[in-house]
Amino acid sequence: MAQINICEVGTRDGFQIEAEFIPTEYKIEVVNRLSETGVPEIEVTSFVHPKAIPQLRDAEEVMSKIVRRPGTVYSALVPNDKGAKRAIDAGVDRLHTVLSASNSHNLANVNMTVAESLEKLQAVAQVAHEANIPMHGGISTALGCPFEGEVPLTQVESIVARLVDMGFEAVGIADTTGMANPAQVKRTFEYLIPKFPNIGFTLHTHNTRAMAIPNILAAMDCGVTDFDASVGGLGGCPYAPGATGNVCSEDLVHCLHEMGHETGIDLDALIDTSKRVEEIVGYSLPGQVMKAGKSERRYQVPHHVSERLAAI
Amino acid sequence: MAQINICEVGTRDGFQIEAEFIPTEYKIEVVNRLSETGVPEIEVTSFVHPKAIPQLRDAEEVMSKIVRRPGTVYSALVPNDKGAKRAIDAGVDRLHTVLSASNSHNLANVNMTVAESLEKLQAVAQVAHEANIPMHGGISTALGCPFEGEVPLTQVESIVARLVDMGFEAVGIADTTGMANPAQVKRTFEYLIPKFPNIGFTLHTHNTRAMAIPNILAAMDCGVTDFDASVGGLGGCPYAPGATGNVCSEDLVHCLHEMGHETGIDLDALIDTSKRVEEIVGYSLPGQVMKAGKSERRYQVPHHVSERLAAI
């Protein structure tokens, strides 16, 4: 049985693609509720340019008004050194960055080649180093690109090497559009982990094709213990309308707890938070445990059955 | 890499709980489409009393009008010897029976104790034996009962022993309300398989709590190769409104194919069938690959990206 660490990304990866701006007070409420569940890390928001992602234009205000639970890590996504400075000024505990493993996706996403993004990250690393703030580097499309298909492991490896050189303490392998399967996840981590024994690997999954939890369990078989997840399964996939988002936090935590693993998370509080997020966004989220209840849920035996049971 | 055998149960486990009667011609069309996908077994219908499950009152007509593909096994669920005779007269290749591992669920489901159901199955076995028709015995709530909770493995074991004595060639371990987790599935099969080396075990899953595919992969780790699945994820759970049904056939087949396993199924044809079933039932099914496309789906690179890529 393992201690598994969840990084909750719903208020960033989820809220950033909502059609409507989520009011700042609701974002703060959700972060506070998530803190109270005991989740060890929350990717609160993103310090991108307000015009690039207007849904998260209130990053500073959210960071300044949340109630910080001792022990919880409050991280944020930053696109460049300017964003890194804003995030650090706002009191973020850990910087998250992202670049794609494939040039086409990186260009489509941030209008830079992978090489150009790596230069930007060097500047972020400089800022983080001066402020003594740890960094986590996510690699999008590391398990498949919607434009290019399979991304060679050597290409991912060379990006990991660059991130390690820059001083990143952890690297996130991201299945950005939910293309990965469990056998591939296993091959990927079996390849990468021995090459970089001194950094932590995390896995960022999307449940686009119903393989998120299987992929997480496959990564756990390789010793990975850190996973991103999104409350209620918030989020989605810009390339696949109707597809689900990140792996649902409470469905994942429920599965892990049922299997005997520990997360330090109060699952009931997380399910309640998910129901509150559903009210806030105003539509049904993909989370299943919030609808069905936990496996331990019991139903009342029908009256005629009770009578028969008593007679056995 | 393994050869995995799917038994498609959508036209039985799915259509039986539809609020509206699915017209017979549509049922026949769906079975015919499923046959053409190459799925090795289809649980076509159920030979229960028409008053008990009016949705499947057309069992004989469906069986008589489907186009039987050579090599496909056409099975049906039968509740008792009378149903077994009807099924055999209708040309069914294999009889499926079901009883629950827990008395409360069996009473709620069929108004009999487990002991009473086992007697009924003895009569079914007699009919099947005389007609030389193979039998598959499903055990509901074998991985958890919504009334009683955990069901002792010894209780499941004693039912399996009875089924083996009656001449059943295969036993289905059913997670009837989606309570099971992968660790439990592994423990269950590690316990049962060595005790009954001469019968085949199958796993029947519900994705109520997002653990169906993880549970199937756990069973595969124990050597189980036969799984029930339902096109589009048809079905549901009478105890959990809003919960999903059986594991979705095409999502499962997609995952297995991506992992390098073989099913003999034409996945594109199965996805097309799922879309047709969605038209027939008139609402969105839980299947995700039918919405997102297969992992191999590629997207057009945006124009500005093509230009940049060409310049690298």
Side-chain angles (χ1 to χ4, degrees):
Chain A
M1 301 306 107
Q3 171 72 37
I4 302 299
N5 307 305
I6 305 292
C7 175
E8 170 60 50
V9 301
T11 55
R12 200 279 302 169
D13 209 1
F15 285 172
Q16 76 171 9
I17 68 157
E18 285 299 311
E20 306 262 323
F21 177 79
I22 305 289
T24 306
E25 64 185 282
Y26 289 156
K27 288 174 178 152
I28 294 164
E29 180 194 341
V30 172
V31 172
N32 287 346
R33 281 174 174 266
L34 290 168
S35 292
E36 284 163 24
T37 69
V39 63
E41 181 170 357
I42 303 171
E43 193 182 70
V44 177
T45 184
S46 182
F47 287 85
V48 291
H49 195 285
K51 280 186 183 158
I53 302 182
Q55 290 90 336
L56 302 182
R57 61 178 182 259
D58 53 3
E60 271 87 357
E61 189 179 352
V62 172
M63 276 306 301
S64 72
K65 291 188 176 165
I66 55 173
V67 179
R68 293 176 75 135
R69 180 179 164 275
T72 305
V73 173
Y74 298 89
S75 53
L77 192 69
V78 301
N80 49 34
D81 54 336
K82 197 174 160 193
K85 283 176 195 149
R86 282 175 58 203
I88 291 166
D89 288 346
V92 162
D93 297 317
R94 184 182 291 168
L95 301 183
H96 286 195
T97 67
V98 68
L99 84 167
S100 308
S102 51
N103 271 316
S104 56
H105 190 269
N106 208 55
L107 284 162
N109 203 31
V110 294
N111 203 28
M112 290 187 283
T113 64
V114 170
E116 288 165 351
S117 269
L118 283 165
E119 276 188 44
K120 287 269 181 200
L121 293 189
Q122 186 67 63
V124 171
Q126 186 70 26
V127 171
H129 184 70
E130 283 164 13
N132 198 26
I133 298 283
M135 295 179 298
H136 171 285
I139 307 179
S140 289
T141 69
L143 293 156
C145 170
F147 305 121
E148 301 179 24
E150 198 181 332
V151 175
L153 265 176
T154 49
Q155 201 163 313
V156 179
E157 178 188 356
S158 71
I159 295 172
V160 176
R162 287 289 303 275
L163 295 173
V164 170
D165 284 347
M166 292 181 204
F168 280 77
E169 66 167 17
V171 168
I173 299 298
D175 181 25
T176 309
T177 60
M179 292 169 64
N181 68 76
Q184 177 193 5
V185 167
K186 198 149 181 279
R187 280 195 306 274
T188 301
F189 284 113
E190 280 173 352
Y191 179 89
L192 291 173
I193 290 173
K195 291 188 193 293
F196 303 99
N198 298 322
I199 60 142
F201 280 104
T202 75
L203 178 64
H204 176 93
T205 59
H206 279 251
N207 198 37
T208 319
R209 294 173 178 91
M211 293 186 285
I213 292 180
N215 286 337
I216 287 167
L217 297 178
M220 284 170 61
D221 284 343
C222 302
V224 177
T225 56
D226 291 66
F227 301 96
D228 288 353
S230 175
V231 61
L234 264 180
C237 178
Y239 301 105
T244 55
N246 296 103
V247 65
C248 170
S249 303
E250 68 271 18
D251 287 1
L252 173 60
V253 169
H254 176 266
C255 178
L256 293 172
H257 286 188
E258 289 292 312
M259 292 178 77
H261 301 297
E262 287 178 11
T263 67
I265 293 172
D266 177 340
L267 177 56
D268 292 320
L270 186 59
I271 293 171
D272 286 347
T273 304
S274 190
K275 289 176 180 171
R276 174 66 183 134
V277 171
E278 202 167 57
E279 283 176 6
I280 289 171
V281 298
Y283 56 85
S284 177
L285 291 174
Q288 293 181 234
V289 173
M290 66 190 285
K291 301 180 185 87
K294 298 186 289 185
S295 287
E296 68 185 39
R297 179 172 179 181
R298 296 290 165 267
Y299 291 81
Q300 186 73 38
V301 178
H303 185 64
H304 74 282
V305 171
S306 310
E307 287 177 346
R308 293 287 309 273
L309 283 171
I312 293 176
Chain B
M1 302 306 109
Q3 170 72 37
I4 302 298
N5 307 306
I6 305 290
C7 175
E8 169 60 49
V9 301
T11 55
R12 199 279 301 169
D13 210 1
F15 284 171
Q16 77 172 9
I17 67 156
E18 285 299 312
E20 306 263 321
F21 177 78
I22 305 290
T24 307
E25 62 185 283
Y26 289 156
K27 288 174 180 152
I28 294 163
E29 180 194 342
V30 173
V31 173
N32 287 346
R33 282 173 175 266
L34 289 167
S35 291
E36 283 163 24
T37 69
V39 64
E41 179 171 357
I42 302 171
E43 192 181 69
V44 176
T45 185
S46 182
F47 286 86
V48 291
H49 195 285
K51 281 187 183 158
I53 303 183
Q55 290 91 335
L56 301 183
R57 62 178 181 259
D58 53 3
E60 270 87 357
E61 190 180 352
V62 172
M63 275 305 301
S64 72
K65 291 186 175 166
I66 55 173
V67 179
R68 293 175 77 136
R69 180 179 164 276
T72 305
V73 172
Y74 297 90
S75 53
L77 192 69
V78 301
N80 49 35
D81 55 335
K82 196 174 162 192
K85 283 177 194 150
R86 281 175 58 204
I88 292 167
D89 287 346
V92 161
D93 296 318
R94 184 183 291 169
L95 301 184
H96 286 194
T97 65
V98 69
L99 84 168
S100 307
S102 51
N103 271 315
S104 57
H105 189 269
N106 208 56
L107 283 163
N109 204 31
V110 294
N111 203 28
M112 290 188 281
T113 63
V114 170
E116 287 165 351
S117 270
L118 283 166
E119 275 189 45
K120 287 268 180 200
L121 293 189
Q122 187 66 63
V124 170
Q126 184 70 27
V127 171
H129 184 71
E130 282 164 13
N132 199 26
I133 298 282
M135 295 178 297
H136 171 285
I139 306 179
S140 289
T141 68
L143 293 156
C145 170
F147 305 121
E148 301 179 23
E150 198 182 330
V151 175
L153 265 176
T154 48
Q155 201 164 314
V156 178
E157 179 190 354
S158 71
I159 295 172
V160 176
R162 287 290 302 274
L163 295 174
V164 170
D165 284 347
M166 292 181 206
F168 280 76
E169 65 167 17
V171 169
I173 299 298
D175 181 24
T176 309
T177 61
M179 292 168 65
N181 68 77
Q184 178 192 5
V185 167
K186 199 149 180 282
R187 280 196 306 274
T188 300
F189 283 114
E190 281 173 350
Y191 178 88
L192 290 174
I193 290 173
K195 292 188 193 292
F196 302 100
N198 297 322
I199 60 141
F201 280 103
T202 75
L203 178 64
H204 176 94
T205 59
H206 280 251
N207 198 37
T208 319
R209 295 174 177 91
M211 294 186 284
I213 292 180
N215 285 338
I216 287 167
L217 297 178
M220 285 170 60
D221 284 344
C222 302
V224 177
T225 55
D226 291 66
F227 301 97
D228 288 353
S230 173
V231 62
L234 262 181
C237 178
Y239 301 106
T244 55
N246 295 104
V247 65
C248 170
S249 303
E250 67 271 19
D251 287 1
L252 173 60
V253 169
H254 176 267
C255 178
L256 293 172
H257 286 189
E258 288 294 312
M259 293 178 77
H261 301 297
E262 288 178 11
T263 65
I265 294 172
D266 178 340
L267 178 55
D268 292 319
L270 186 59
I271 293 170
D272 287 346
T273 303
S274 190
K275 290 175 178 168
R276 175 65 184 134
V277 171
E278 202 167 57
E279 283 176 7
I280 289 171
V281 297
Y283 57 86
S284 178
L285 292 174
Q288 294 182 232
V289 172
M290 66 189 285
K291 301 180 185 85
K294 298 185 288 185
S295 287
E296 69 185 39
R297 179 173 179 180
R298 296 291 165 268
Y299 291 80
Q300 187 73 38
V301 177
H303 185 64
H304 75 281
V305 172
S306 309
E307 288 177 345
R308 293 285 311 272
L309 283 171
I312 293 176

